[in-house]
Amino acid sequence: WEEYIFVNSAYSEVFGRSLATLREEPSDFLEGVHPADRDDVLDAMARLSDGAEVDIEYRVDKSSDYERWVWVHGVPIRDDDGEVYRVAGFVREITDRHERQLELLHQRNLVQNVPVGVFRVSIADGQRFEQVNPALVSMLDADDPADLLGRDVTTFYHDADLGTDIADRLGRDGVATFEARFETLADNVFWGRVTAIRQTDDSGRQIADGVI
């Protein structure tokens, strides 16, 4: 790229590079991009120059050890003959989003690997499994999570009346801790200690998350 027509002052803060240096040397912004991401950025720039819109996420700002993430959307601008003669784009910092994604990934990995059964059930329409971890699949003698998803958790209780009592406690207190006998899909019976907490998901539905 030969010249920047316009770059706002936020560039220096986000990329950790001098705006004056960028104007003198347009390729200087690459010095603010994580070395492992530079090839992807150059590829995106080439596609943009060839006329394609691009969206790309990458790490920036050497002064922060490249811990900042940005999302860039680029658009080619064509002349009357349809040739690309400029490109335009904007940059949005998404560091917080990436940190949340990493935290969610950590939590998901933790749930998948803990040696206790972890579940989510809907409680607005019965108490049906919506999420289960591998430990719970094994505990209930299922072959696959699909064998449990959609099933009413109360059908695994040896005491048929327990489900109503638990629903009442969740509705009243928001939490229920109890011990119960469970009957598995293979007709085995075991005692388990359960803690379930009533919550509201992003769509406003009432759910319960818990462990066995």
Side-chain angles (χ1 to χ4, degrees):
W1 293 0
E2 297 179 357
E3 179 186 12
Y4 286 96
I5 304 299
F6 171 77
V7 182
N8 71 3
S9 58
Y11 165 81
S12 296
E13 178 184 349
V14 174
F15 281 78
R17 306 294 298 175
S18 163
L19 188 56
T21 302
L22 179 70
R23 295 190 182 281
E24 294 174 2
E25 179 49 63
S27 64
D28 181 74
F29 91 95
L30 279 172
E31 297 298 321
V33 177
H34 193 292
D37 296 335
R38 289 174 188 171
D39 285 345
D40 290 338
V41 172
L42 288 170
D43 177 69
M45 291 171 61
R47 289 187 284 113
L48 182 58
S49 296
D50 286 340
E53 290 192 26
V54 299
D55 288 282
I56 184 172
E57 298 178 4
Y58 53 88
R59 292 159 289 182
V60 298
D61 189 7
K62 183 177 181 179
S63 65
S64 71
D65 293 327
Y66 298 109
E67 292 185 354
R68 305 179 81 165
W69 281 84
V70 295
W71 168 63
V72 179
H73 178 68
V75 181
I77 300 175
R78 302 177 185 273
D79 60 22
D80 293 340
D81 297 323
E83 298 295 324
V84 177
Y85 75 106
R86 287 180 182 168
V87 297
F90 62 86
V91 179
R92 175 179 297 167
E93 184 174 356
I94 56 171
T95 305
D96 289 346
R97 193 189 79 186
H98 263 270
E99 289 176 350
R100 288 195 299 272
Q101 289 174 335
L102 288 173
E103 179 62 24
L104 288 172
L105 180 61
H106 173 74
Q107 293 176 2
R108 187 175 299 115
N109 288 337
L110 180 64
V111 166
Q112 290 298 306
N113 292 291
V114 292
V116 296
V118 180
F119 63 84
R120 168 169 288 184
V121 299
S122 61
I123 55 177
D125 180 21
Q127 299 178 42
R128 302 185 182 278
F129 282 124
E130 292 192 350
Q131 296 178 22
V132 294
N133 75 335
L136 187 58
V137 171
S138 175
M139 194 180 296
L140 294 177
D141 290 327
D143 294 323
D144 186 87
D147 296 333
L148 301 180
L149 298 181
R151 283 180 177 264
D152 191 326
V153 64
T154 62
T155 62
F156 293 95
Y157 297 153
H158 186 75
D159 180 354
D161 295 328
L162 185 58
T164 301
D165 177 55
I166 294 168
D168 290 342
R169 275 192 270 173
L170 284 172
R172 182 183 66 248
D173 304 324
V175 63
T177 297
F178 59 95
E179 293 183 354
R181 280 191 297 173
F182 289 84
E183 296 182 1
T184 75
L185 294 177
D187 296 324
N188 294 313
V189 177
F190 70 89
W191 277 94
R193 182 174 179 81
V194 182
T195 297
I197 301 174
R198 186 186 75 231
Q199 305 202 63
T200 302
D201 69 7
D202 293 339
S203 63
R205 296 183 312 118
Q206 291 295 299
I207 58 173
D209 292 331
V211 296
I212 301 177

